[in-house]
Coordinates of all heavy atoms in Angstrom, one line a residue:
A292 N -4.6 -17.4 -11.2 CA -4.5 -16.0 -11.0 C -4.8 -15.6 -9.6 O -4.2 -14.8 -9.1 CB -5.5 -15.3 -12.0
Y293 N -5.9 -16.2 -9.2 CA -6.2 -16.0 -7.7 C -5.0 -16.4 -6.7 O -4.7 -15.6 -5.9 CB -7.4 -16.8 -7.3 CG -7.9 -16.5 -5.9 CD1 -8.7 -15.4 -5.6 CD2 -7.5 -17.5 -5.0 CE1 -8.8 -15.3 -4.2 CE2 -8.1 -17.2 -3.6 CZ -8.7 -16.1 -3.3 OH -9.0 -16.0 -1.9
N294 N -4.5 -17.5 -6.8 CA -3.3 -17.9 -6.1 C -2.2 -17.0 -6.1 O -1.6 -16.7 -5.2 CB -3.1 -19.4 -6.4 CG -4.0 -20.3 -5.8 OD1 -4.8 -20.0 -4.9 ND2 -4.1 -21.4 -6.3
R295 N -1.9 -16.6 -7.4 CA -0.8 -15.6 -7.7 C -0.9 -14.3 -7.0 O -0.2 -13.8 -6.3 CB -0.7 -15.5 -9.3 CG 0.5 -14.6 -9.5 CD 0.7 -14.6 -11.1 NE 1.7 -13.7 -11.4 CZ 1.5 -12.6 -12.3 NH1 0.3 -12.5 -12.9 NH2 2.5 -11.8 -12.6
M296 N -2.2 -13.8 -7.1 CA -2.7 -12.6 -6.3 C -2.6 -12.7 -4.8 O -1.9 -11.9 -4.2 CB -4.0 -12.0 -6.6 CG -4.5 -10.8 -6.0 SD -3.4 -9.3 -6.4 CE -4.0 -9.0 -8.1
I297 N -3.0 -13.7 -4.3 CA -2.9 -14.0 -2.7 C -1.6 -14.1 -2.4 O -0.9 -13.5 -1.5 CB -3.8 -15.2 -2.5 CG1 -5.2 -15.1 -2.6 CG2 -3.3 -15.6 -1.0 CD1 -5.7 -13.9 -1.5
A298 N -0.8 -14.8 -3.1 CA 0.8 -14.9 -3.0 C 1.4 -13.7 -3.0 O 2.4 -13.3 -2.1 CB 1.3 -16.0 -3.9
A299 N 1.1 -12.7 -4.0 CA 1.7 -11.5 -4.1 C 1.3 -10.5 -2.9 O 2.1 -9.9 -2.3 CB 1.2 -10.8 -5.4
I300 N 0.0 -10.7 -2.4 CA -0.4 -9.9 -1.4 C 0.3 -10.3 0.0 O 0.7 -9.5 0.8 CB -1.9 -9.9 -1.1 CG1 -2.7 -9.3 -2.2 CG2 -2.4 -9.4 0.2 CD1 -4.2 -9.5 -2.3
Q301 N 0.6 -11.6 0.1 CA 1.3 -12.0 1.2 C 2.8 -11.6 1.3 O 3.4 -11.5 2.3 CB 1.4 -13.6 1.3 CG 0.0 -14.1 1.5 CD -0.5 -13.7 2.7 OE1 0.0 -13.9 4.0 NE2 -1.7 -13.1 2.8
Q302 N 3.3 -11.1 0.2 CA 4.6 -10.6 0.1 C 4.7 -9.1 0.6 O 5.8 -8.7 0.9 CB 5.4 -10.7 -1.3 CG 5.5 -12.2 -1.7 CD 6.1 -12.3 -3.1 OE1 6.9 -11.4 -3.6 NE2 5.9 -13.3 -3.8
L303 N 3.5 -8.4 0.7 CA 3.6 -7.2 1.3 C 3.8 -7.2 2.8 O 3.6 -8.2 3.3 CB 2.3 -6.5 0.9 CG 1.8 -6.3 -0.6 CD1 0.4 -5.8 -0.7 CD2 2.8 -5.3 -1.2
N304 N 4.3 -6.0 3.2 CA 4.4 -6.0 4.8 C 3.0 -6.0 5.3 O 2.0 -5.7 4.8 CB 5.4 -4.8 5.1 CG 4.7 -3.4 4.8 OD1 3.5 -3.3 5.2 ND2 5.3 -2.5 4.2
P305 N 3.0 -6.2 6.6 CA 1.5 -6.4 7.2 C 0.7 -5.2 7.2 O -0.6 -5.5 6.9 CB 2.0 -6.7 8.8 CG 3.3 -7.4 8.7 CD 4.0 -6.7 7.5
I306 N 1.3 -4.0 7.4 CA 0.4 -2.9 7.2 C -0.4 -2.7 5.7 O -1.3 -2.4 5.6 CB 1.1 -1.6 7.6 CG1 1.5 -1.7 9.1 CG2 0.4 -0.3 7.4 CD1 2.3 -0.7 9.6
D307 N 0.7 -2.8 4.7 CA 0.2 -2.7 3.4 C -0.8 -3.9 3.1 O -1.8 -3.5 2.5 CB 1.4 -2.9 2.3 CG 2.3 -1.6 2.4 OD1 1.8 -0.6 2.9 OD2 3.4 -1.9 1.7
R308 N -0.5 -5.0 3.5 CA -1.5 -6.1 3.3 C -2.8 -5.8 3.9 O -3.9 -6.0 3.4 CB -0.9 -7.4 3.9 CG -1.7 -8.7 3.7 CD -0.9 -10.0 4.0 NE -0.4 -9.9 5.3 CZ 0.9 -10.1 5.6 NH1 1.8 -10.5 4.7 NH2 1.3 -10.2 6.9
E309 N -2.9 -5.3 5.1 CA -4.1 -5.0 5.8 C -4.9 -3.8 5.2 O -6.0 -3.9 5.0 CB -3.8 -4.4 7.2 CG -5.1 -4.2 8.1 CD -4.9 -4.0 9.6 OE1 -3.6 -4.0 10.0 OE2 -5.9 -3.9 10.3
L310 N -4.2 -2.7 4.7 CA -4.7 -1.7 3.9 C -5.4 -2.2 2.8 O -6.6 -1.8 2.4 CB -3.7 -0.6 3.5 CG -3.3 0.3 4.8 CD1 -2.1 1.1 4.3 CD2 -4.4 1.2 5.1
I311 N -4.8 -3.0 1.9 CA -5.3 -3.6 0.7 C -6.5 -4.5 1.0 O -7.5 -4.3 0.3 CB -4.2 -4.5 0.0 CG1 -3.1 -3.6 -0.7 CG2 -5.0 -5.3 -1.2 CD1 -3.4 -2.7 -1.8
A312 N -6.5 -5.2 2.1 CA -7.6 -6.1 2.4 C -8.9 -5.2 2.9 O -9.8 -5.4 2.4 CB -7.2 -6.9 3.6
L313 N -8.5 -4.2 3.7 CA -9.7 -3.3 4.1 C -10.3 -2.6 2.9 O -11.5 -2.5 2.8 CB -9.2 -2.3 5.0 CG -9.2 -2.8 6.6 CD1 -8.2 -1.8 7.4 CD2 -10.4 -3.2 7.1
L314 N -9.4 -2.2 2.0 CA -9.9 -1.2 0.9 C -10.7 -2.2 -0.1 O -11.8 -1.8 -0.6 CB -8.8 -0.7 0.1 CG -9.1 0.4 -0.8 CD1 -9.9 1.6 -0.1 CD2 -7.9 1.0 -1.4
T315 N -10.3 -3.3 -0.4 CA -11.0 -4.2 -1.2 C -12.2 -4.9 -0.8 O -12.9 -5.6 -1.6 CB -10.0 -5.3 -1.8 OG1 -9.4 -6.0 -0.8 CG2 -8.8 -4.7 -2.6
T316 N -12.4 -4.8 0.5 CA -13.8 -5.2 1.1 C -15.0 -4.4 0.4 O -16.1 -4.7 0.5 CB -13.9 -5.2 2.5 OG1 -13.7 -3.9 2.9 CG2 -12.9 -6.2 3.1
E317 N -14.6 -3.1 0.1 CA -15.6 -2.2 -0.5 C -16.5 -1.7 0.6 O -17.7 -1.3 0.3 CB -16.2 -2.7 -1.7 CG -15.3 -2.9 -2.8 CD -15.9 -3.3 -4.1 OE1 -17.2 -3.4 -4.2 OE2 -15.2 -3.7 -5.1
R318 N -16.3 -2.0 1.8 CA -17.2 -1.6 2.9 C -16.7 -0.4 3.5 O -17.6 0.4 4.0 CB -17.2 -2.8 3.8 CG -18.1 -2.4 5.1 CD -18.2 -3.8 6.1 NE -18.9 -3.3 7.2 CZ -20.3 -3.4 7.5 NH1 -21.0 -3.9 6.6 NH2 -20.6 -3.1 8.7
F319 N -15.4 -0.1 3.5 CA -15.0 1.1 4.2 C -14.3 2.1 3.3 O -13.8 1.8 2.4 CB -13.8 0.6 5.1 CG -14.3 -0.4 6.3 CD1 -13.9 -1.6 6.3 CD2 -15.1 0.2 7.3 CE1 -14.4 -2.6 7.3 CE2 -15.6 -0.7 8.3 CZ -15.1 -2.0 8.3
S320 N -14.7 3.4 3.8 CA -14.1 4.5 3.0 C -12.6 4.8 3.5 O -12.3 4.2 4.6 CB -14.9 5.8 3.2 OG -14.9 6.1 4.6
Y321 N -11.9 5.5 3.0 CA -10.6 5.9 3.4 C -10.7 6.4 4.8 O -9.9 6.3 5.7 CB -9.9 6.9 2.5 CG -9.3 6.4 1.2 CD1 -10.0 6.7 0.1 CD2 -8.3 5.5 1.3 CE1 -9.5 6.1 -1.2 CE2 -7.7 5.1 0.0 CZ -8.5 5.3 -1.1 OH -7.9 4.8 -2.3
R322 N -11.7 7.4 5.0 CA -11.8 8.0 6.5 C -12.2 7.0 7.5 O -11.6 6.9 8.6 CB -13.1 8.9 6.4 CG -13.4 9.5 7.8 CD -14.5 10.6 7.7 NE -13.9 11.8 7.0 CZ -14.4 12.4 6.4 NH1 -15.8 12.5 6.2 NH2 -13.8 13.6 5.8
E323 N -12.9 5.9 7.1 CA -13.2 4.7 8.0 C -12.0 4.0 8.3 O -11.8 3.5 9.4 CB -14.4 4.0 7.6 CG -15.7 4.7 7.6 CD -16.9 3.9 6.9 OE1 -16.5 3.2 5.9 OE2 -18.0 4.2 7.2
I324 N -11.2 3.6 7.3 CA -10.0 2.9 7.5 C -9.1 3.7 8.4 O -8.4 3.1 9.1 CB -9.4 2.6 6.1 CG1 -10.2 1.6 5.3 CG2 -7.9 2.0 6.3 CD1 -9.9 1.5 3.9
A325 N -9.0 5.1 8.2 CA -8.0 5.8 9.0 C -8.5 5.7 10.5 O -7.6 5.7 11.4 CB -8.1 7.2 8.5
K326 N -9.9 5.7 10.8 CA -10.2 5.5 12.1 C -9.9 4.1 12.7 O -9.6 4.0 13.8 CB -11.7 5.9 12.3 CG -12.1 7.2 12.2 CD -13.7 7.4 12.2 CE -14.0 8.9 12.0 NZ -15.5 9.2 12.0
L327 N -10.1 3.1 11.9 CA -9.8 1.8 12.3 C -8.3 1.7 12.7 O -8.0 0.9 13.7 CB -10.0 0.9 11.2 CG -11.6 0.4 11.2 CD1 -11.8 -0.5 10.0 CD2 -12.0 -0.5 12.5
L328 N -7.5 2.2 11.8 CA -6.0 2.0 12.0 C -5.4 3.2 12.8 O -4.1 3.2 13.1 CB -5.4 1.9 10.7 CG -5.9 0.8 9.8 CD1 -5.1 0.8 8.4 CD2 -5.6 -0.6 10.5
D329 N -6.2 4.1 13.3 CA -5.8 5.3 14.0 C -4.5 6.0 13.4 O -3.6 6.3 13.9 CB -5.3 4.7 15.5 CG -5.2 5.9 16.5 OD1 -5.9 6.9 16.2 OD2 -4.4 5.9 17.4
I330 N -4.7 6.3 12.2 CA -3.8 7.2 11.3 C -4.7 8.1 10.6 O -5.9 8.0 10.3 CB -2.9 6.5 10.3 CG1 -3.8 5.6 9.3 CG2 -2.0 5.5 11.3 CD1 -2.9 4.7 8.3
S331 N -4.1 9.2 9.9 CA -4.7 10.2 9.1 C -5.4 9.7 7.8 O -4.8 8.6 7.3 CB -3.9 11.5 9.0 OG -3.0 11.0 8.1
E332 N -6.5 10.2 7.3 CA -7.0 9.8 6.2 C -6.0 10.0 4.9 O -5.9 9.3 4.1 CB -8.3 10.7 5.7 CG -8.9 10.3 4.6 CD -10.2 11.0 4.4 OE1 -10.8 11.7 5.3 OE2 -10.8 10.9 3.3
T333 N -5.2 11.2 5.0 CA -4.3 11.5 4.0 C -3.2 10.3 4.1 O -2.7 9.9 3.1 CB -3.6 12.8 4.2 OG1 -4.6 13.7 4.2 CG2 -2.6 13.1 3.2
N334 N -2.6 10.0 5.3 CA -1.8 8.9 5.3 C -2.2 7.6 4.8 O -1.4 6.8 4.2 CB -1.4 8.7 6.9 CG -0.1 8.0 7.1 OD1 0.7 7.6 6.2 ND2 0.4 7.8 8.3
V335 N -3.5 7.3 5.0 CA -4.1 6.0 4.3 C -4.0 6.0 2.9 O -3.6 5.1 2.2 CB -5.7 5.9 4.9 CG1 -6.3 4.8 4.0 CG2 -5.8 5.5 6.3
K336 N -4.3 7.3 2.3 CA -4.3 7.3 0.9 C -2.9 7.1 0.3 O -2.6 6.4 -0.7 CB -4.9 8.7 0.4 CG -6.3 8.8 0.7 CD -6.9 10.2 0.2 CE -8.3 10.4 0.5 NZ -8.8 11.7 0.2
V337 N -2.0 7.7 0.9 CA -0.5 7.7 0.5 C 0.0 6.2 0.7 O 0.5 5.6 -0.2 CB 0.4 8.6 1.4 CG1 1.9 8.2 1.2 CG2 0.1 9.9 1.0
K338 N -0.4 5.6 1.9 CA 0.0 4.2 2.1 C -0.7 3.1 1.1 O 0.0 2.2 0.6 CB -0.4 3.8 3.5 CG 0.7 4.3 4.5 CD 0.3 4.0 6.0 CE 1.2 4.6 7.0 NZ 2.4 4.0 7.1

């Protein structure tokens, strides 16, 4: 199951993969992710 999830994540485009990775660390809020990636918080939520 873990390998299947990692393989599925690898099929995402790099931006989506990074967003999923940042969000699942549970360390960053949407606002903090937006600052890290230099995009709006709303854009982060949509993406």
Side-chain angles (χ1 to χ4, degrees):
Y293 177 79
N294 287 338
R295 185 171 173 236
M296 179 61 76
I297 292 295
I300 290 172
Q301 290 303 303
Q302 291 180 30
L303 295 173
N304 67 48
I306 293 172
D307 289 347
R308 188 170 47 235
E309 183 172 6
L310 284 168
I311 294 292
L313 282 169
L314 194 61
T315 55
T316 62
E317 298 178 10
R318 179 176 169 91
F319 295 110
S320 66
Y321 285 109
R322 178 174 289 152
E323 292 168 328
I324 292 171
K326 287 180 183 177
L327 276 172
L328 301 178
D329 197 30
I330 57 178
S331 72
E332 183 177 350
T333 304
N334 198 2
V335 169
K336 290 177 183 179
V337 169
K338 287 178 180 280

